Amino acid sequence: MRRSVVLCVAATFAVAGCGVGDRPAETPSSDGKVTLSFLVFETPNLDAKFWDAAIARASAKVPGVTIKKLVSPNVDRTGYAKQLDASGHLPDILQSVNPAGFAQAGKLAAFTDAELTNFIAPKAGAIDGKVYQLPYNTQVIPVIYYNKDAFTKAGIASTPKTYQELLDASAKLRAKGITPFVVGGGGADTWADMYPLTGTVATDVYSKTPDWLTQRAAGKVKFTDPDFTAAAKKIADLAKRKYIDPAGLSRSYADTEQAFRDAKGAMYPMGSWFATSADNTKPDFEIGAFPWPSDDGSPVTPTFTGGGTLVSSSAPNVGLAKKWALAFDEDKENNDAFVKADGSIPAIKGYTAPSDMGPVYQATVDIYQQGMKDSSIVNAFSQEAGDGSLPPGLADKAALAVQDLVTGKKSAEEFAAYLDDQWAKATQ
């Protein structure tokens, strides 16, 4: 199915005469107008109408540009972009695609310092000092969203502040017949199973060694070292205690979110984009939010800043493509729409979110702002971009391996050794 989609898109591009190999980098049409392809992805929060409206707003600010929207067949837009690139048809503009691999191969246009002046963290995600993806948005990954009714039923009076308190709360929930954690990752959505591990890597590894992946690249640390193995062991232990139900791994991302809404589990470790979904479509219970707790209760706030648009170095007019990308990511109404639909925390100077945002979003932003206040911000494992990130493709392999960790097919030590082996293969 995915192969047929790629061939169809490739055929369309060939007819339009816009294949990557068919044009010079700066060739606007004779009438001063240009058509640019824009790769997006759709989720329950970001549907077709959302993208169409956002595209129209940006296009109104950049005369001469017509956007041809392309939609990834699933949420793995990076994988789809690789397929298109392999067929010689990398889109002109791409949304939230990991630049790793593309940038090093010279396939992306870098943004200048002058073009990045409106961004709070202009060098976020830089590769060899150059920024290829606009750092327009911050996400907290994960936040533990929880069912307040389930906590009350289990006699849990307050949210866990330490990891032991998280285990104690899980035991109380389990004793009441409530599955503590809702975790999914079926089909093409294996990435969705990563977030408990992202939490434990933040508290057990990155809080001690913020540049751990940079050190991994330099050969100074390994996944099999005690700290990372301990983080993985916590996830295996949650499953062994039946706090994570392995059967849930067959659920897609959308089905996993629905399972939490259907009260099939009390806690949902997910990225902060879930917040506005929770506010916009409220379940029958009240939802709260708290950060993944560390052993001693010290704050750790794993985040990712980036995720914006990228521009192909082979776009028919790179200058106009970059101008349009900046218009798309800096537009106030677009950012308001991302906030309302996807729980974004825009990293744009002077931006203020709409005043009518709901309680789950506000609780999520409070977690981020507290992290900024107490300087507890660290990277979110598997979400990193730029220097100090996983080699291309390794995040996907890690997500698949997390399933083995949860089902007991791999021990924490075997999981860590697998990641070291895959790192070696990816960097040969």
Side-chain angles (χ1 to χ4, degrees), residues 203-219:
T203 57
D204 291 27
V205 183
Y206 287 177
S207 64
K208 301 175 185 177
T209 314
D211 64 342
W212 193 90
L213 276 185
T214 299
Q215 293 196 30
R216 179 64 189 82

Side-chain angles (χ1 to χ4, degrees), residues 100-344:
F102 295 107
Q104 291 87 339
K107 296 183 177 183
L108 299 176
F111 290 92
T112 66
D113 290 346
E115 290 168 331
L116 297 169
T117 55
N118 289 335
F119 296 86
I120 290 173
K123 291 298 183 179
I127 298 175
D128 292 331
K130 295 182 179 181
V131 175
Y132 298 92
Q133 181 173 42
L134 293 177
Y136 87 110
N137 176 41
T138 295
Q139 297 166 330
V140 184
I141 310 172
V143 173
I144 299 181
Y145 296 100
Y146 71 100
N147 180 332
K148 291 188 177 183
D149 289 353
F151 269 44
T152 298
K153 180 179 178 181
I156 303 168
S158 60
T159 57
K161 300 298 187 295
T162 67
Y163 191 72
Q164 185 57 53
E165 289 177 359
L166 182 67
L167 294 178
D168 293 343
S170 298
K172 291 179 180 179
L173 290 162
R174 179 83 181 143
K176 291 292 185 179
I178 303 168
T179 300
F181 288 96
V182 175
V183 178
D189 296 336
T190 52
W191 55 271
D193 68 19
M194 284 294 298
Y195 299 124
L197 180 66
T198 301
T200 60
V201 169
T203 57
D204 291 27
V205 183
Y206 287 177
S207 64
K208 301 175 185 177
T209 314
D211 64 342
W212 193 90
L213 276 185
T214 299
Q215 293 196 30
R216 179 64 189 82
K220 295 180 180 179
V221 297
K222 290 187 175 182
F223 291 103
T224 49
D225 289 350
D227 283 346
F228 190 92
T229 303
K233 190 173 182 179
K234 283 184 174 179
I235 306 309
D237 181 61
L238 288 174
K240 186 176 181 180
R241 294 175 185 238
K242 301 186 185 301
Y243 298 162
I244 297 175
D245 182 5
L249 294 174
S250 64
R251 298 189 189 109
S252 68
Y253 166 57
D255 288 344
T256 304
E257 180 176 309
Q258 189 59 45
F260 177 64
R261 293 179 181 282
D262 292 340
K264 293 182 179 178
M267 292 180 283
Y268 182 39
M270 185 46 61
S272 52
W273 52 85
F274 173 66
T276 47
S277 175
D279 285 327
N280 293 340
T281 308
K282 297 179 181 179
D284 293 334
F285 53 87
E286 188 176 353
I287 296 175
F290 63 94
W292 192 278
S294 62
D295 286 344
D296 63 2
S298 58
V300 182
T301 312
T303 65
F304 166 76
T305 297
T309 50
L310 311 92
V311 171
S312 167
S313 58
S314 295
N317 188 313
V318 170
L320 274 178
K322 290 170 72 178
K323 187 177 181 180
W324 191 92
L326 286 160
F328 184 88
D329 280 359
E330 293 181 4
D331 182 80
K332 164 68 171 160
E333 288 186 62
N334 275 3
N335 281 302
D336 286 351
F338 271 110
V339 168
K340 287 180 173 292
D342 212 42
S344 296

Side-chain angles (χ1 to χ4, degrees), residues 347-366:
I348 306 294
K349 292 178 181 178
Y351 176 80
T352 301
S355 59
D356 60 346
M357 295 305 296
V360 182
Y361 178 80
Q362 294 294 350
T364 301
V365 172
D366 287 347

